[in-house]
Amino acid sequence: MSMEKPPSRPDEPEGCLTAVIRIPVRIVVLVIVVPVRMVWDVLVVGARALDRTVLRPAGRALAWLGRALFVRPGVWLWRQVVVPAVHHVLVVPGVWLYRHVLAPVGRGLAQGLGWLAKALFVWPWVALWRYVVVPVARYGIGVPAAWVYRWVLTPLGGGASYLLGRLWRYGIALPLTWLYRHLLAPVGRGLAQGLGWLAKALFVWPWVALWRYAVVPVVRYGVVVPLVWLYRRVLAPVGRELLDALRVGWRVAGFVSRAVGRALAWVAWNLVGRPGAWFYRTVCTPVGHWVRDQVWAPARRAAVAAGQAAREGLAAARATVRQARRDAWRALVGGPRVTEPVEPVVASARTLGSTTTASGAAPEPEISLRKRG
């Protein structure tokens, strides 16, 4: 990795200040950053190891324990106890009560109340409206009012509307329109233009001239230009150098931290890992094989034989009890006694490579496949 600064861009020339502070800044930053990077790498490795060896197994164990202690019992209790109890105690009686009692009673009450409400409040008012109010309003008010509107009010309204319209148009609207168009509008436009020019001359143009020829040049050449020069010639080069120094120092610290980590890993492997692997291969593996072949396999075969013998004994006991029950029933009820032939129980043999039994298979000697091969 090169420690030199890459060539600068053509639009930003390098100054003497940049060349002077480059190497000291990078050395100081490297000395400061290397311990920080090593501590950071140690924390990252420790956090990953803690997550992989402690937090994840603990989380899985807690999740399994929570499911075993709370979720599964709660689900079983809800499905097997709460739901059937609620169904048989509340739902079934409620449905029966609603279907056979409340619904018929409610429908009967609704029909009765409906007929009673109609008889008391609807039908009398309907009859009154249909046979009293409508005829009176129609023949006592509607017909005379229609005749008066058609033969009296309509001709009078038409004549009055015509006269008022002509009077408004030729007596008021046309004179006002001529007055606004030829007198008021030109005078208003002239006054507005004159007042506008006067307001600009008094309040706008002096401030515009002051802003354009006094404030803007002072701010531009007194504040902006010095700040731009300071940023381009001092702050930007110093900032770029500091950023480059931090980047280079962080990379170099990463290489140093990686080299230190590899050295520590090599030392740990040669001090702990290699002796542990040798002990596992030369001691633990042979001992484990001996325990598996000499202790675990005979114990497993003995347990299988004991289980087979127990199952055969239970089958014979069940057959004896069944036969005794049949004989007792025949002795009480009567009938010819027929003795069913009992087939001899033949020990089932295990198939090679499995623990299940197959009927009709010849027994195989209990010899390990590893020793046989």
Side-chain angles (χ1 to χ4, degrees), residues 52-370:
R52 185 172 57 253
T53 58
V54 177
L55 297 180
R56 291 184 184 179
R60 288 193 291 266
L62 290 176
W64 179 87
L65 185 62
R67 286 195 299 270
L69 294 180
F70 300 103
V71 177
R72 292 176 183 173
V75 171
W76 180 87
L77 184 64
W78 175 262
R79 291 180 178 176
Q80 303 297 328
V81 178
V82 177
V83 173
V86 171
H87 179 73
H88 292 290
V89 173
L90 298 179
V91 177
V92 174
V95 170
W96 183 89
L97 182 64
Y98 172 78
R99 186 176 295 172
H100 298 286
V101 177
L102 297 179
V105 172
R107 284 194 294 268
L109 289 176
Q111 292 178 359
L113 292 176
W115 284 99
L116 181 61
K118 288 180 181 180
L120 293 177
F121 302 103
V122 178
W123 292 340
W125 293 102
V126 170
L128 181 64
W129 176 265
R130 184 176 295 176
Y131 299 108
V132 176
V133 177
V134 172
V136 170
R138 183 176 182 180
Y139 297 103
I141 299 175
V143 174
W147 185 87
V148 171
Y149 174 79
R150 182 178 295 177
W151 301 106
V152 177
L153 297 179
T154 299
L156 291 177
S161 175
Y162 178 78
L163 292 176
L164 290 175
R166 293 297 176 177
L167 179 62
W168 170 261
R169 181 176 181 181
Y170 295 104
I172 299 175
L174 288 178
L176 289 178
T177 303
W178 183 88
L179 182 65
Y180 172 77
R181 184 177 298 174
H182 295 89
L183 183 61
L184 297 179
V187 172
R189 283 196 295 270
L191 288 175
Q193 290 179 358
L195 292 176
W197 284 100
L198 181 61
K200 288 182 180 179
L202 291 178
F203 301 103
V204 178
W205 291 341
W207 294 105
V208 170
L210 179 64
W211 175 264
R212 183 176 297 176
Y213 299 107
V215 177
V216 171
V218 169
V219 173
R220 181 178 181 180
Y221 296 102
V223 179
V224 177
V225 172
L227 288 179
V228 170
W229 181 87
L230 180 64
Y231 172 77
R232 288 182 179 177
R233 301 301 180 183
V234 178
L235 298 180
V238 172
R240 283 195 298 271
E241 288 300 326
L242 288 177
L243 185 61
D244 293 339
L246 286 174
R247 189 182 297 112
V248 172
W250 187 261
R251 291 178 181 175
V252 173
F255 287 115
V256 174
S257 176
R258 190 176 296 116
V260 173
R262 289 177 180 176
L264 293 177
W266 182 84
V267 172
W269 169 251
N270 285 278
L271 292 180
V272 180
R274 193 182 300 276
W278 176 85
F279 181 77
Y280 176 79
R281 286 195 305 268
T282 57
V283 178
C284 295
T285 301
V287 171
H289 290 175
W290 181 84
V291 170
R292 182 190 60 189
D293 296 335
Q294 302 297 327
V295 178
W296 173 251
R300 185 171 60 83
R301 287 196 296 268
V304 170
Q308 186 68 26
R311 285 194 296 271
E312 292 175 359
L314 289 175
R318 282 196 298 269
T320 303
V321 171
R322 191 181 300 113
Q323 185 64 33
R325 188 174 62 250
R326 291 176 182 174
D327 293 341
W329 178 256
R330 290 190 183 93
L332 291 175
V333 177
R337 180 177 180 181
V338 179
T339 304
E340 296 181 357
V342 179
E343 296 181 357
V345 179
V346 180
S348 301
R350 293 188 293 110
T351 57
L352 293 178
S354 67
T355 59
T356 58
T357 58
S359 60
E364 290 291 336
E366 299 292 339
I367 300 176
S368 176
L369 294 177
R370 186 176 295 101

